[in-house]
Amino acid sequence: MKIIKFEFEKVLKNKIVIGSLVISFIVLLGIFFVGYNYSQFKMSERNNVNKGFPKNIDTIISQKYAGDFTDKKVQMILSDSMNQFQENEEKGVTDKPFYLFYWQMGDNFFDDDSENIYTEMIQKVKSEERLLLDDVSVHSIRDLGFTEFEKPLQIGNYVPWTDFFSVIGNINLLICVLTILICSTIFSNDTSKNVNQILLITKLGRNKMIFAKIIVGTVIPLCTLILFHLLNAGIFSLMYDTSGWNSSIQTNLSMGLFQFPVEWNHLQTYLIVVLLQSIGIVFVSSFTLLISSFAKSPITSLSVSLGMFLLPQLLLQIFRKGILNKLLYFFPINNLNAQKTLELLSSEKSFLMSSFIQNLMVVFLFLITLKIIFDFITYRHMKSWHFS
């Protein structure tokens, strides 16, 4: 434990690491500010307040709409949305409130284009009538291909969670880059200072010290991931209504995962995404440690590691079909968008296996296996290292 503590302190006292941590926290604040404060949902809230309307319909959603996702519930929401719009039109309100929940419900379930429906409502009000839901063709839940389980899907205030999943993708990218910055120094820093020949001839140098470096290079990124996600959860809960955590991920009309095959709510989906991110982070740390063990300076290690991290995304532009294209989606750089990742892993035709769980396990095993292989090569290389 003492040698692990020693390696921890050495890494955290490194000026490159300190600078990287400071910059990463500034970038994290920027992600929160842009991802939450300037999201479509938050901007529409501010616009609604400026127009003199309630900023959102969170209370209405939680008290009236939350629960079983049925055709009757959909019709209720659409009817309320139409009545609200026509009521404001009757009052002569030209700059009406915009509620993303209502808009997306209409955009998905109205058979006709939503804009045409709103135009028709305006015409009806001008003739001192109202357009009723019975006058409009509406899709059923089955028409849109929602996955059916033994129990009905649950709907709730899903709109805030769309912003949440968008932000965690950017956080994942930040953590990956920070991991590379930190791990690129762990072996190469000693090599650049010509202290390897001293450290590796000590009693613990060839075994425990190497293990300690690998452990530190794995634990620090994971601790960073946990810290960043806790900060994100805190900011999210302060700025948004989080009551939609138990609504089905399929009913998030923004994400469009109608046919997602697993009966998960938003919180369960988030935990799986974090697990996938965690395994991706330890994979990134392992190949960066491997490169660091061969590099003669932190700059070389950093440059090569960043290049290797970005390479799968570049190759994705070249190999657009076939097995290689599917394998490239295993790598963390191509898994930043939670929506696309979940959609890809749940596709029976677009990925390797026939079920989401099987595909998820394949990705997990692939990354963990490479992590073990890279750590083993790093250990063997450093154990046999000699001054040249």
Side-chain angles (χ1 to χ4, degrees):
M1 289 300 294
K2 288 183 179 180
I3 194 168
I4 294 176
K5 182 181 178 182
F6 168 76
E7 290 296 334
F8 262 113
E9 292 175 349
K10 189 167 73 171
V11 169
L12 295 177
K13 289 179 181 178
N14 187 295
K15 292 181 180 180
I16 296 177
V17 174
I18 295 172
S20 299
L21 288 171
V22 172
I23 293 173
S24 68
F25 274 104
I26 295 173
V27 173
L28 183 64
L29 292 176
I31 291 173
F32 292 154
F33 185 72
V34 175
Y36 289 141
N37 193 56
Y38 283 100
S39 68
Q40 183 182 13
F41 178 63
K42 281 298 176 182
M43 291 181 71
S44 67
E45 281 190 340
R46 288 193 291 273
N47 288 334
N48 291 336
V49 171
N50 291 335
K51 296 171 187 176
F53 295 98
K55 66 177 182 178
N56 56 50
I57 55 171
D58 291 349
T59 302
I60 296 175
I61 295 173
S62 61
Q63 294 181 356
K64 188 175 182 181
Y65 304 145
D68 292 349
F69 185 56
T70 62
D71 288 329
K72 186 176 181 180
K73 181 69 65 66
V74 170
Q75 292 167 8
M76 178 199 301
I77 296 170
L78 293 177
S79 180
D80 287 353
S81 173
M82 293 171 66
N83 287 332
Q84 182 199 68
F85 181 87
Q86 292 176 103
E87 181 179 341
N88 285 319
E89 185 67 22
E90 289 168 349
K91 293 177 180 178
V93 178
T94 55
D95 201 4
K96 299 176 181 64
F98 176 80
Y99 299 115
L100 200 56
F101 182 87
Y102 279 155
W103 171 260
Q104 291 177 342
M105 190 65 67
D107 196 43
N108 282 277
F109 282 95
F110 284 140
D111 188 29
D112 195 5
D113 186 86
S114 292
E115 292 185 5
N116 293 337
I117 299 294
Y118 284 103
T119 301
E120 190 174 349
M121 283 192 285
I122 293 173
Q123 297 301 322
K124 281 284 188 179
V125 171
K126 286 181 178 179
S127 61
E128 298 183 350
E129 296 179 320
R130 277 198 182 189
L131 184 69
L132 303 178
L133 186 63
D134 293 338
D135 302 325
V136 180
S137 178
V138 176
H139 292 299
S140 68
I141 291 174
R142 182 166 292 181
D143 289 339
L144 296 184
F146 282 87
T147 304
E148 297 181 10
F149 301 101
E150 292 183 6
K151 296 181 180 179
L153 295 172
Q154 298 296 301
I155 190 169
N157 195 11
Y158 67 83
V159 177
W161 287 86
T162 305
D163 292 348
F164 183 73
F165 278 104
S166 176
V167 166
I168 64 173
N170 294 325
I171 291 175
N172 187 29
L173 176 59
L174 174 61
I175 297 172
C176 286
V177 173
L178 181 60
T179 297
I180 293 172
L181 286 167
I182 293 173
C183 293
S184 63
T185 68
I186 288 181
F187 287 108
S188 62
N189 195 49
D190 289 343
T191 303
S192 66
K193 293 179 179 179
N194 295 319
V195 296
N196 270 350
Q197 59 267 37
I198 299 174
L199 293 175
L200 296 177
I201 61 174
T202 61
K203 181 179 179 180
L204 303 177
R206 293 283 176 180
N207 291 296
K208 292 186 178 180
M209 185 171 289
I210 298 172
F211 274 123
K213 288 178 180 292
I214 293 173
I215 290 171
V216 168
T218 302
V219 172
I220 289 180
L222 286 177
C223 290
T224 304
L225 181 141
I226 293 171
L227 175 61
F228 281 16
H229 275 281
L230 287 175
L231 290 173
N232 181 41
I235 296 294
F236 177 66
S237 62
L238 287 174
M239 295 185 65
Y240 289 86
D241 169 42
T242 61
S243 63
W245 69 268
N246 59 348
S247 61
S248 304
I249 193 66
Q250 291 86 353
T251 62
N252 187 318
L253 304 183
S254 300
M255 298 182 72
L257 296 171
F258 303 162
Q259 299 178 359
F260 189 68
V262 187
E263 198 173 0
W264 285 344
N265 58 38
H266 283 79
L267 181 59
Q268 291 169 321
T269 306
Y270 165 65
L271 294 176
I272 292 298
V273 170
V274 172
L275 178 60
L276 181 59
Q277 288 183 358
S278 302
I279 294 175
I281 290 299
V282 298
F283 165 77
V284 170
S285 71
S286 66
F287 80 70
T288 306
L289 288 172
L290 175 60
I291 293 170
S292 179
S293 70
F294 281 91
K296 293 184 178 181
S297 71
I299 296 298
T300 302
S301 176
L302 174 61
S303 301
V304 175
S305 298
L306 283 173
M308 293 300 294
F309 173 68
L310 295 171
L311 183 61
Q313 189 176 64
L314 298 176
L315 291 175
L316 203 61
Q317 308 307 313
I318 300 173
F319 302 99
R320 296 181 177 273
K321 295 181 180 179
I323 187 67
L324 187 56
N325 174 271
K326 296 176 181 179
L327 290 174
L328 289 171
Y329 279 103
F330 284 25
F331 295 94
I333 187 63
N334 293 325
N335 287 324
L336 299 178
N337 187 307
Q339 174 187 344
K340 290 183 178 179
T341 300
L342 293 171
E343 187 175 0
L344 182 70
L345 293 178
S346 61
S347 174
E348 295 182 3
K349 296 181 180 179
S350 299
F351 216 64
L352 297 177
M353 309 299 285
S354 60
S355 77
F356 172 80
I357 298 298
Q358 290 174 340
N359 285 326
L360 191 64
M361 294 307 299
V362 168
V363 174
F364 284 172
L365 290 174
F366 176 81
L367 294 177
I368 291 172
T369 300
L370 286 182
K371 154 74 175 170
I372 294 171
I373 292 172
F374 290 161
D375 284 349
F376 177 76
I377 296 173
T378 300
Y379 171 76
R380 295 296 300 175
H381 171 68
M382 291 308 300
K383 189 173 182 180
S384 59
W385 186 92
H386 61 277
F387 180 74
S388 58

